[in-house]
Amino acid sequence: MAAHAGSAADQLSRFITRFVSAGSAAYLVLLAPQIIEQRSHLAVWYTPVFVGVIFGPALALWFVAFRGSRTRVEVLVTITTVGYLLAQLLWIPAFVGPDLDATASAWISVFPGLMSLATAIVWRPRAVLAYLLVVASLGQVINYVSRTDHGNVPLVSDIVFGVMFCGIFTVTVMLVIRTGRVLDTTRSAAEDQAAATAASHARSVERERFDALIHDDVMSTLLAASRSGNSAALAGQAKETITRLERLRSGSSEAEPLTAGGFEAFVRSALTKIDEKIEVESSAERSTEVAIPMDAVRALTASAAEALRNSVRHAESAPRSVQVRIVDGSATVVVSDEGPGFDQSKIPPHRLGLSVSIRGRMRQLPGGWSGISSTPGNGTTVALGWNASGSEPARSDVAG
């Protein structure tokens, strides 16, 4: 479970942890008559000590798997699996006889595979395989030594069968957990790539906007020169135009924050390229104190564009709208449609649109946040925002 909470590897590990705990409970119930019957064959201390050491922590794993920390899971798994290995090692010296029937098995030899599955949750692959080899082999040795009749099957054959049988399930679980880690790595890389792509796209949109503004300034300056000739006002206008051209050439304009009107135009320009009929409603307070940093502008615009693309793709003919709200210190973009909606809990893990292009991008933005509201038949609303204070507004504020 070496993964952050909520990751694919973490979720898979917790599921397997609950499976191990449930399997332990099932074995305890099924083996209870056998454990009681074989108690008389062992030293008096053996059965109560190792039933408690093995099954106690294993049953506790069920509760820890839901909300407990990774450290607690590791501790309980280690106690259970090490206790099981110790119980196997001490079976032979604790066995006082009489020998078991030829068809009977020592209860401690019945579930090495389950214990190996438990180690796969928190141990490294080599340690897991070494543990599997030892406990699966010891289980067969214990049965061989404890029985009256060993049968016609050589001990080596029993060991090979036990290791192979347990290994199939243990290796499968190891691969499942590894797949979760690979998915987390892929998702993280996808988030970084999405952020880079969004920044590149946002810079392109920004450059187009500035190109248009500078084109207007240059034309205005030339027109003023042709009409009124040289003047102090014309010199000032020309100087400002040259300054803005120099900023664009050097790229320094990309770092300048936008006012409410600039942000509004930026969002509108990006979204109308996706849906030229989209209506962007604004409730911006055009205060001179509003200054939205370009990192926030790019993240909000790219995330809103992804939300709008999803709406066009999945709710093509449904009415949709975009609301932009700007006040001092915060900016919000809400993309809504009246389409079919969806159940967020049923989105497959490999679908990275929402998790990467929207949630992931906004999560990487300091002060950024996102909220997605959708149920089947009730449309979809994606709220995106940035606060200079770094706090997320109340849901009621977002909805409004």
Side-chain angles (χ1 to χ4, degrees):
M1 295 180 62
H4 64 271
S7 66
D10 179 72
Q11 293 177 5
L12 287 170
S13 295
R14 290 182 183 273
F15 175 80
I16 295 169
T17 300
R18 293 194 291 271
F19 174 82
V20 168
S21 183
S24 299
Y27 270 117
L28 180 59
V29 172
L30 294 173
L31 292 175
Q34 195 171 339
I35 292 173
I36 295 172
E37 190 277 329
Q38 293 179 6
R39 183 176 182 180
S40 60
H41 297 253
L42 299 161
V44 67
W45 52 269
Y46 183 91
T47 301
V49 168
F50 286 113
V51 168
V53 169
I54 296 170
F55 291 103
L59 297 178
L61 280 171
W62 177 267
F63 303 98
V64 176
F66 284 98
R67 296 184 178 274
S69 65
R70 173 176 173 262
T71 300
R72 290 185 178 181
V73 174
E74 287 183 348
V75 169
L76 291 175
V77 167
T78 301
I79 292 174
T80 298
T81 53
V82 172
Y84 180 75
L85 176 59
L86 187 60
Q88 285 189 317
L89 293 173
L90 293 179
W91 175 276
I92 295 176
F95 191 77
V96 296
D99 291 347
L100 303 178
D101 294 337
T103 57
S105 296
W107 67 265
I108 199 63
S109 69
V110 174
F111 50 100
L114 184 66
M115 294 296 102
S116 298
L117 289 183
T119 61
I121 300 170
V122 295
W123 291 9
R124 295 184 180 276
R126 290 185 179 180
V128 173
L129 295 176
Y131 182 88
L132 165 67
L133 179 63
V134 171
V135 296
S137 300
L138 281 175
Q140 299 302 325
V141 171
I142 288 171
N143 284 332
Y144 186 86
V145 173
S146 303
R147 287 171 178 165
T148 302
D149 184 2
H150 302 149
N152 298 323
V153 180
L155 176 60
V156 174
S157 298
D158 284 339
I159 291 176
V160 171
F161 173 79
V163 172
M164 295 296 293
F165 182 79
C166 297
I168 293 173
F169 302 100
T170 304
V171 171
T172 300
V173 169
M174 292 169 61
L175 292 176
V176 167
I177 295 178
R178 181 179 180 276
T179 300
R181 295 194 182 107
V182 170
L183 179 59
D184 291 333
T185 302
T186 303
R187 176 175 294 178
S188 178
E191 288 180 355
D192 294 340
Q193 181 61 40
T197 302
S200 176
H201 174 71
R203 282 193 293 268
S204 297
V205 174
E206 182 183 6
R207 184 173 293 274
E208 290 175 5
R209 186 177 66 86
F210 275 103
D211 284 347
L213 291 174
I214 290 172
H215 174 267
D216 292 343
D217 285 353
V218 171
M219 294 300 295
S220 175
T221 302
L222 293 175
L223 183 61
S226 67
R227 288 178 176 176
S228 57
N230 191 15
S231 66
L234 178 62
Q237 182 176 349
K239 183 178 180 180
E240 176 63 21
T241 300
I242 292 173
T243 300
R244 297 184 69 179
L245 280 168
E246 179 60 26
R247 286 180 178 176
L248 179 62
R249 185 190 67 79
S250 64
S252 61
S253 62
E254 294 182 355
E256 295 180 356
L258 293 187
T259 62
F263 175 69
E264 208 179 303
F266 199 104
V267 173
R268 191 184 303 274
S269 174
L271 298 188
T272 51
K273 289 184 177 181
I274 300 170
D275 182 359
E276 60 182 14
K277 298 180 180 180
I278 190 67
E279 295 184 4
V280 180
E281 302 175 7
S282 174
S283 58
E285 297 178 4
R286 298 176 180 272
S287 167
T288 57
E289 297 180 4
V290 175
I292 307 172
M294 284 308 303
D295 285 347
V297 173
R298 295 184 184 113
L300 286 166
T301 303
S303 299
E306 178 64 21
L308 185 60
R309 272 191 291 269
N310 287 339
S311 176
V312 171
R313 184 182 305 120
H314 300 293
E316 181 177 358
S317 59
R320 60 180 59 86
S321 64
V322 176
Q323 295 180 337
V324 176
R325 176 185 300 170
I326 305 173
V327 297
D328 289 348
S330 69
T332 304
V333 181
V334 180
V335 181
S336 304
D337 67 49
E338 300 177 18
F342 62 95
D343 186 346
Q344 298 185 57
S345 65
K346 295 183 178 179
I347 298 178
H350 64 275
R351 297 287 297 276
L352 303 180
L354 292 178
S355 63
V356 172
S357 298
I358 296 179
R359 290 194 181 101
R361 182 182 286 124
M362 296 308 299
R363 187 168 55 245
Q364 291 180 338
L365 172 67
W369 56 266
S370 63
I372 300 173
S373 175
S374 182
T375 54
N378 293 315
T380 301
T381 298
V382 178
L384 310 161
W386 167 82
N387 288 325
S389 63
S391 61
E392 182 176 346
R395 289 294 123 190
S396 58
D397 294 337
V398 174

